């Protein structure tokens, strides 16, 4: 959403998207808009933008949303400030997705670290001579092979996820006769 202000921070113009983001009815009265911005401290930020003739960005919580405000001065041909403009974006979903991405990376890192630690420890034990009995060495090698398979599955899952996200996997959709499905169940 966008709203333009004069130098006294009186709203001059706003768009419909602003009303939607702020969860306000149409018309979004100027006094209500000023009060909402004041409640979030945006009025002080706008005063700073006008005073310093410099754009800034800030984020605020508003009615269970996370909003990003990009505030800029409006300058005339002589670099005099004639007002300011605020671009308001609801970044709640992107923030949530970013947190999910961070959690995913942390989980994948942990899933890789465990088998790698086991493989490394087993190799070090064999190389350092801590394990010298052939039966024990075979047990260590079997465990390393098992952990390598775990890593292979993890990498395969990540590659498949990547293909799903990129749209490179196609599905072969076909009709299924429900009556036949019931007969198939009896075959198992």
């Amino acid at each position: 959403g966008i709203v333009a202000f004069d130098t006294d921070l009186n709203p001059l113009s706003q768009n419909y998207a602003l009303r939607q983001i702020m969860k306000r009815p149409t018309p979004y009265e100027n006094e209500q808009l000023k009060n909402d911005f004041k409640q979030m401290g945006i009025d002080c930020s706008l005063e700073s933008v006008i005073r310093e003739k410099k754009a800034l960005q800030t984020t605020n919580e508003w009615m269970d949303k996370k909003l990003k405000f990009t505030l800029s001065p409006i300058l005339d041909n002589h670099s005099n400030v004639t007002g300011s403009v605020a671009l308001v974006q609801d970044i709640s979903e992107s923030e949530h997705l970013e947190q999910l991405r961070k959690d995913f990376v942390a989980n994948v890192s942990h899933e890789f670290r465990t088998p790698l630690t086991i493989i490394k420890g087993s190799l070090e034990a064999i190389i350092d001579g801590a394990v010298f009995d052939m039966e024990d060495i075979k047990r260590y090698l079997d465990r390393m092979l098992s952990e390598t398979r775990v890593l292979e599955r993890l990498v395969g899952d990540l590659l498949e996820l990547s293909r799903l996200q990129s749209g490179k996997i196609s599905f072969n959709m076909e009709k299924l006769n429900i009556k036949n499905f019931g007969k198939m169940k009896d075959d198992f």
Side-chain angles (χ1 to χ4, degrees):
I2 298 176
V3 58
F5 296 92
D6 65 16
T7 53
D8 295 322
L9 301 185
N10 294 309
L12 300 173
S13 180
Q14 58 179 282
N15 67 357
Y16 179 72
L18 179 72
R19 294 185 282 274
Q20 286 184 310
I21 291 169
M22 299 297 291
K23 294 184 178 180
R24 294 298 184 202
T26 302
Y28 189 3
E29 300 294 333
N30 286 346
E31 284 306 309
Q32 181 68 59
L33 191 152
K34 285 171 71 171
N35 287 337
D36 291 346
F37 274 44
K38 184 174 187 172
Q39 185 177 340
M40 291 184 282
I42 300 300
D43 59 335
C44 294
S45 298
L46 283 167
E47 288 170 355
S48 172
V49 163
I50 290 170
R51 185 176 56 256
E52 296 175 22
K53 297 182 184 182
K54 221 177 199 180
L56 68 83
Q57 285 187 344
T58 185
T59 56
N60 286 69
E61 299 288 329
W62 179 257
M63 295 186 181
D64 300 326
K65 291 182 177 187
K66 185 157 191 175
L67 304 180
K68 178 174 138 186
F69 293 83
T70 304
L71 310 173
S72 301
I74 300 172
L75 305 174
D76 65 13
N77 292 339
H78 305 289
S79 295
N80 296 317
V81 177
T82 60
S84 60
V85 65
L87 170 65
V88 184
Q89 297 169 292
D90 182 353
I91 59 169
S92 307
E93 184 65 22
S94 63
E95 289 280 315
H96 176 69
L97 291 174
E98 179 62 17
Q99 186 58 49
L100 287 176
R101 186 195 66 77
K102 286 178 182 176
D103 293 345
F104 177 77
V105 168
N107 288 335
V108 167
S109 297
H110 176 74
E111 291 298 321
F112 272 97
R113 194 173 301 120
T114 302
L116 286 173
T117 301
I118 292 169
I119 292 169
K120 181 182 176 195
S122 298
L123 283 171
E124 286 174 347
I126 292 170
I127 290 170
D128 292 345
V131 178
F132 47 85
D133 181 57
M134 284 309 288
E135 238 178 78
D136 288 339
I137 291 174
K138 181 172 177 359
R139 202 168 28 86
Y140 273 64
L141 292 173
D142 286 342
R143 181 67 193 264
M144 287 188 292
L145 182 59
S146 173
E147 294 301 324
T148 302
R149 289 182 180 132
V150 168
L151 288 172
E152 278 181 321
R153 280 193 303 275
L154 280 170
V155 169
D157 289 348
L158 288 172
L159 289 172
E160 188 165 336
L161 181 62
S162 177
R163 285 191 297 270
L164 278 169
Q165 286 181 323
S166 68
K168 291 182 180 173
I169 290 183
S170 61
F171 296 97
N172 293 327
M173 305 292 274
E174 56 184 65
K175 291 183 181 181
L176 176 66
N177 186 333
I178 300 282
K179 292 176 187 174
N180 292 339
F181 183 72
K183 290 177 187 173
M184 286 183 354
K185 182 182 81 167
D186 294 335
D187 294 339
F188 288 106

